[in-house]
Structures are given as C-alpha cells and as structure tokens.
Amino acid sequence: MSEFVLQIDGKEVTAREGMTIVEAAKSAGIRIPTLCHHDQLEPYGACRICTVEAEANGRNQLVAACVYPAEKGMVVQTKTEKLAKIRKVLVEQMMAHAPDAPQLLELAEEYGADRDRFDKDPSFCILCGLCVRYCNEVKKKNAIGYIDRGPRREISFIPDVAGKECWDCKECFPLCPTSALQAAYVLTEALATPPEEAAQEAGCACSCSCSGSCG
C-alpha cells in the first residue's frame, strides 16, 4: 500500500492508504479517545467520542476519527476547546445510562463532565455495539443483537443461540465499557433456566419455583 503524510496535533504522521484517522494517530502514539472502536472489528462510529477537527482540500469539518479515512496533506486537531466541549456533552449523555461505568468516569474527569446533568435512564448500555459486532464479525455466532429502534433500542441475547454458544465463550464481556453486557447475559441465563433446575442449583428440595427461598 502507498504511504502518505498528514499532520496530527502539529506532528507529521506517515500513514498507509486505507487507514482511518484513529489508526494513523495510534501508529504515531497519539491518543484519540474511543468507546466503540476495536482493532478486530470494522469501524462503527457509534459513540462519537473520537470526534476530531480535520482540514482537507480547504474544508475544515468535525469527523468521527474511527471511521473517517486519513488523507494526504490532511491537518487534524484532536485536542481543541470545541472538541472538549463536544466530548463533555457526549459523556454526560452516556452517563445518564451508565453513571458508574469506569471508562465513563475517567472520561468525565478528563473533560469535566457532570454525571447528573441529564435525567437518569439506567439501561447501563451506551449502544457501542462492541458485543454485537464481535459476536457477528469475529465469532460468527450472532448470539446477541439489537432489539427495537430509536430511544428504545437495546442489546439482547438470543436465548436459543446463547444457550448453545455463550456459556463457554463470554469473549465479548471484557469489551463492554459499562458492564451492561454481563447484566443482560445473567438475565438471559435466568430466563433460559427451567424453574426446577434453578431451584436445584439454589439448594431447594421442593417442587415449587421459589428458587430456594422456601428452604
């Protein structure tokens, strides 16, 4: 692949054709924050935390660095007052869903975000898509997917598939930035477990569905 030079935060960076801005920056040791990006997965651009200012061909625009291709002669800024304000609001919006997520807390400290700015909607999921894409693109199992649309959209394990594929895998768990995935998995496991079996696992000897609480 042919190589070219662009500028990121005042530093000349050599990139290869097909690289995104995030990849070019990473190759030069320049950090651009991300929550939905993973080197094994196709670029997605969901969280927008990686938004940067990019000037090319006389145009200056805000772009998602994890999906936007690096270009010859491009001038990229990753740390400006405008970007800090954008990332602050994005973090605040995500903290309405997962206020205690460690990665979000780190970003909140970095950008001065207020975790209580927006009303809480504790879905604990920021729809980064890492779990869905990893299961689909890497594992080829499609055991987890999206349900519903718009503000009601959420991730959900497909019980029939998860029951066969997920118990001994769980490779997607460490990818989740908020731990929502683990909660969804536990719920799926509970729904997929017959009451009698659940009771036995809990140590209940009776035939009811008390899950051991009557013992």
Side-chain angles (χ1 to χ4, degrees):
M1 292 185 178
S2 61
E3 294 185 341
F4 56 88
V5 175
L6 70 156
Q7 187 182 105
I8 304 179
D9 291 342
K11 180 179 181 179
E12 287 195 349
V13 176
T14 300
R16 297 186 307 275
E17 184 180 349
M19 271 187 166
T20 63
I21 294 175
V22 156
E23 291 169 334
K26 185 177 180 180
S27 72
I30 300 172
R31 172 185 172 268
I32 297 177
T34 65
L35 287 170
C36 68
H37 178 71
H38 192 280
D39 290 339
Q40 288 183 266
L41 304 176
E42 289 296 317
Y44 194 55
C47 72
R48 298 292 170 175
I49 286 293
C50 68
T51 297
V52 297
E53 294 186 56
E55 182 181 345
N57 301 317
R59 295 181 57 194
N60 190 13
Q61 55 186 330
L62 297 170
V63 299
C66 71
V67 296
Y68 202 85
E71 300 176 15
K72 180 180 178 180
M74 176 182 280
V75 177
V76 178
Q77 298 291 335
T78 73
K79 300 176 182 178
T80 66
E81 184 177 349
K82 179 188 291 187
L83 293 174
K85 290 179 179 179
I86 291 172
R87 291 172 185 161
K88 175 179 180 290
V89 173
L90 289 171
V91 171
E92 289 171 341
Q93 290 174 334
M94 287 185 277
M95 293 190 90
H97 299 277
D100 298 315
Q103 290 188 47
L104 291 182
L105 289 172
E106 291 178 8
L107 289 170
E109 183 175 357
E110 181 176 354
Y111 295 109
D114 179 3
R115 60 182 287 171
D116 298 316
R117 178 177 178 182
F118 296 101
D119 293 338
K120 293 294 183 289
D121 179 17
S123 64
F124 306 107
C125 178
I126 59 173
L127 299 176
C128 68
L130 286 172
C131 57
V132 176
R133 292 148 54 215
Y134 186 87
C135 191
N136 181 18
E137 297 175 23
V138 177
K139 302 300 291 185
K140 310 294 185 183
K141 299 299 183 181
N142 297 298
I144 183 170
Y146 290 111
I147 58 174
D148 227 321
R149 297 179 180 179
R152 294 185 176 182
R153 197 181 198 199
E154 60 185 36
I155 60 167
S156 178
F157 283 90
I158 293 87
D160 290 346
V161 181
K164 299 175 182 177
E165 305 291 346
C166 296
W167 310 138
D168 298 320
C169 178
K170 303 183 182 124
E171 291 180 19
C172 57
F173 276 26
L175 306 182
C176 180
T178 68
S179 298
L181 188 59
Q182 289 89 320
Y185 177 80
V186 169
L187 176 59
T188 300
E189 184 178 21
L191 293 175
T193 304
E196 295 81 3
E197 184 178 332
Q200 290 176 3
E201 292 177 356
C204 177
C206 72
S207 60
C208 72
S209 59
C210 67
S211 297
S213 60
C214 68

